[in-house]
Amino acid sequence: MRRLEWPLHIVRRVVVAVVVAAVLAVAVPLTLNWIGDVRERCDDGVVKRGAGECVGVTDGSWVFSGHLAEVEKKIKEENELVLEDAGKEPYVSVAYMTSFTLTNDDSNSEDSVRHELEGAYLAQFRHNRGDLSASPKIRLLIANTGSSSAHWEHTVDELIDRKDSEEKLVAVTGLGPSTARNLDALRKLSANGLATVASTMTATNIHDIPGFVRVSPTNIDEAYAGAAYLKRSRKSLTAMVVQDAAKSNLYAATLGNAFTEAFPDKAGDYTLVAERMTYNSSVPGAWKNSLRYITVQLCDTKPQVIYFAGRGQHLTNFLDYLASRTCTDHTFTVLAGDDTSNLDREQITRAVENDVEVLFTGLAHRDMLRADPGKVSKVSAGYFQEDGRLKEWFPNDDRYDGQDIMAHDAVLAAAHGIELAAGNSGPVTGATVGEMFRQMHGRQRLAGASGFISFQNNGNPDNKAVPILRLNSEGRTELVEVSAAHGKPPEGQ
């Protein structure tokens, strides 16, 4: 058989075509992946996830949401000053982590997370070049876990990467509300050697995690403080618990259990009139129907006090239904937990319009200094008054919820731990900072704006001050009294 021979110019074309095809087979997917990565990247350390929200870690260079622009600018400027002086002054980094891009699914409001960041910045400023100036200086990183902390794993991994880098991350503060996702994030940060300080995480079953402390009272503390107030205000009372049964809501479960334990007395003057009533916020749509049905049942049992163990966003719906009750001749007092602080001004006003007295155990209030000056640090609390530094920096922001105070105290705790660790031999690390938290008692206790804080070995504060607050018709919270788990919080100097 005669062998078929191809002309040389055709052979060359075939070879070139094969080579080009092979190159394109590799190059095109790589190019598409590169384009995809660029499209997902918002900034260094920040990527686009889910429904287009940018999550991750920034030094203030990336603004997660427009309402945060002013405070993020100040944080970025302070961070730049720290780097400029790095040759003369050593520094470490502290992150403030929570959900900064919010949807209707979040219990936090835009106001509350902005106020948190403003308070965190104040603590950074005080430590770096204010009245508490100490070494090493602090770079403050802003860590966004996304709406409902859906992307916490990405953000936590970004933070862990900064532990041994030139950013020298040693502590993560904030940590968001008491949810299963935020607890998972906390545990992973701890397992990787970072110190952690929760600002508003109150669920009682979060404790004994290495390197972890919180500046907020636990739900047990809140329940006992609230029950103590009720008993001081009236000689006898009946109450019922309304609770969110969603498994992921650690806050609601521990709050409801704690009040059930704290309120009844042996003499029978203070009693629970029936088993607690529950709704499940994890079932979309159905939880509202459950709350509506609960208000019908309340007209049968007629407790004087309703203890609402649920998020603030659920409370507003519950109050709407309660206002439409058939037993209008019966007066209810609603007592809720600290998540009520997350209601915005419009929601507060709407709640009060329902002709129901709404009280709640808060985490902090600027009027604590005026009403009970011995229970808080006069110097720290002074920054949050009408003539204080925060008003000077952010004159158009009405910080009515106390979230700025809690974030300030959380970052202040991390800063104090860093200062103590630096006084020992060896480098400042997450582990050494975490060890210093256990020394913050007695003379070394934290002089916070929310109260004087001594940490127990399990990470909880000891008998932390708990303000009893009332919602008013002006969309504000007003201080009723300062209580504590033991009835009376410790006094300072």
Side-chain angles (χ1 to χ4, degrees):
M1 179 181 294
R2 183 186 176 193
R3 187 176 63 182
L4 181 64
E5 294 183 1
W6 296 88
L8 183 59
H9 69 281
I10 293 179
V11 172
R12 286 175 176 170
R13 289 178 183 175
V14 171
V15 171
V16 169
V18 170
V19 171
V20 169
V23 170
L24 288 175
V26 175
V28 169
L30 288 176
T31 301
L32 290 175
N33 288 338
W34 179 82
I35 291 173
D37 289 342
V38 170
R39 286 177 178 172
E40 289 185 347
R41 181 177 178 273
C42 302
D43 195 36
D44 291 340
V46 182
V47 298
K48 191 171 291 186
R49 289 287 187 267
E53 58 182 335
C54 291
V55 299
V57 182
T58 182
D59 63 354
S61 299
W62 177 263
V63 177
F64 286 113
S65 186
H67 69 101
L68 300 174
E70 190 174 4
V71 62
E72 284 206 43
K73 179 183 178 183
K74 287 188 177 295
I75 292 171
K76 184 175 186 296
E77 290 171 351
E78 183 64 28
N79 287 339
E80 289 173 347
L81 289 176
V82 171
L83 291 180
E84 287 174 10
D85 294 338
K88 299 177 293 182
E89 289 271 10
Y91 72 89
V92 294
S93 293
V94 172
Y96 197 88
M97 184 179 82
T98 191
S99 299
F100 286 109
T101 46
L102 304 168
T103 67
N104 291 333
D105 294 329
D106 291 278
S107 61
N108 291 348
S109 66
E110 287 191 349
D111 283 356
S112 69
V113 297
R114 184 177 65 256
H115 298 161
E116 286 184 59
L117 209 51
E118 289 170 357
Y121 167 66
L122 171 61
Q124 179 195 25
F125 178 88
R126 291 184 70 191
H127 176 84
N128 284 355
R129 50 194 177 101
D131 61 305
L132 298 177
S133 181
S135 182
K137 302 303 181 188
I138 288 176
R139 291 180 71 244
L140 184 62
L141 304 179
I142 306 163
N144 179 28
T145 54
S147 175
S148 301
S149 295
H151 308 293
W152 70 266
E153 290 178 276
H154 168 79
T155 302
V156 166
D157 287 343
E158 284 285 338
L159 289 170
I160 293 169
D161 286 345
R162 285 160 170 74
K163 187 182 70 163
D164 297 319
S165 71
E166 62 180 12
E167 296 186 65
K168 307 170 192 173
L169 181 69
V170 297
V172 181
T173 60
L175 305 175
S178 303
T179 66
R181 285 172 176 170
N182 289 336
L183 178 56
D184 287 342
L186 164 60
R187 285 174 171 157
K188 186 169 183 178
L189 291 167
S190 171
N192 282 274
L194 287 165
T196 50
V197 188
S199 56
T200 62
M201 188 177 278
T202 60
T204 308
N205 56 351
I206 302 175
H207 56 79
D208 291 308
I209 298 173
F212 166 73
V213 292
R214 57 173 137 206
V215 295
S216 60
T218 66
N219 283 343
I220 284 183
D221 292 343
E222 287 190 47
Y224 272 85
Y229 165 74
L230 290 174
K231 293 173 183 179
R232 283 193 295 270
S233 64
R234 299 186 197 178
K235 291 184 179 180
S236 64
L237 280 173
T238 58
M240 176 176 283
V241 175
V242 175
Q243 180 184 316
D244 184 2
K247 291 182 179 180
S248 62
N249 193 347
L250 307 179
Y251 163 84
T254 54
L255 199 61
N257 292 340
F259 186 80
T260 301
E261 177 184 293
F263 182 74
D265 70 336
K266 292 181 180 179
D269 294 326
Y270 303 96
T271 59
L272 296 171
V273 297
E275 293 293 324
R276 73 187 68 180
M277 298 181 182
T278 62
Y279 66 98
N280 191 335
S281 66
S282 66
V283 182
W287 64 267
K288 291 185 179 181
N289 293 334
S290 296
L291 286 178
R292 185 187 296 275
Y293 178 66
I294 286 172
T295 60
V296 175
Q297 291 180 297
L298 288 169
C299 279
D300 295 329
T301 53
K302 293 184 179 178
Q304 293 163 293
V305 175
I306 302 166
Y307 191 75
F308 190 83
R311 295 292 179 188
Q313 64 189 114
H314 308 142
L315 175 61
T316 55
N317 285 273
F318 175 70
L319 292 173
D320 283 342
Y321 300 143
L322 197 60
S324 301
R325 65 189 182 277
T326 57
C327 53
T328 55
D329 58 327
H330 183 77
T331 302
F332 292 101
T333 294
V334 175
L335 176 62
D338 64 273
D339 196 74
T340 308
S341 299
N342 288 313
L343 298 181
D344 59 32
R345 294 285 294 274
E346 183 179 343
Q347 289 172 321
I348 291 174
T349 302
R350 187 176 113 203
V352 177
E353 286 175 349
N354 290 327
D355 195 29
V356 175
E357 183 183 32
V358 183
L359 304 171
F360 69 100
T361 46
L363 302 181
H365 196 279
R366 62 188 179 201
D367 285 347
M368 291 168 70
L369 176 62
R370 173 189 53 78
D372 216 335
K375 304 299 192 298
V376 298
S377 165
K378 182 177 180 180
V379 175
S380 292
Y383 282 95
F384 298 90
Q385 304 309 302
E386 285 295 335
D387 57 350
R389 185 63 67 87
L390 276 186
K391 186 67 173 178
E392 174 189 333
W393 285 337
F394 309 105
N396 299 318
D397 200 352
D398 182 10
R399 288 164 297 280
Y400 55 88
D401 50 21
Q403 302 295 83
D404 50 346
I405 296 175
M406 297 309 299
H408 165 272
D409 285 2
V411 176
L412 201 66
H416 192 39
I418 289 166
E419 181 182 355
L420 292 175
N424 295 334
S425 57
V428 176
T429 65
T432 59
V433 172
E435 290 172 5
M436 293 302 104
F437 292 152
R438 302 301 186 264
Q439 296 187 20
M440 291 187 195
H441 50 77
R443 292 185 178 181
Q444 291 289 0
R445 64 180 175 168
L446 189 69
S450 66
F452 292 92
I453 305 171
S454 295
F455 295 116
Q456 302 174 50
N457 287 334
N458 64 3
N460 293 333
D462 185 25
N463 199 38
K464 175 73 189 298
V466 178
I468 307 298
L469 305 173
R470 177 186 289 111
L471 302 185
N472 68 25
S473 58
E474 297 176 356
R476 293 175 175 271
T477 59
E478 57 186 36
L479 181 67
V480 177
E481 71 167 41
V482 180
S483 187
H486 300 168
K488 184 179 180 182
E491 299 227 1
Q493 301 297 327

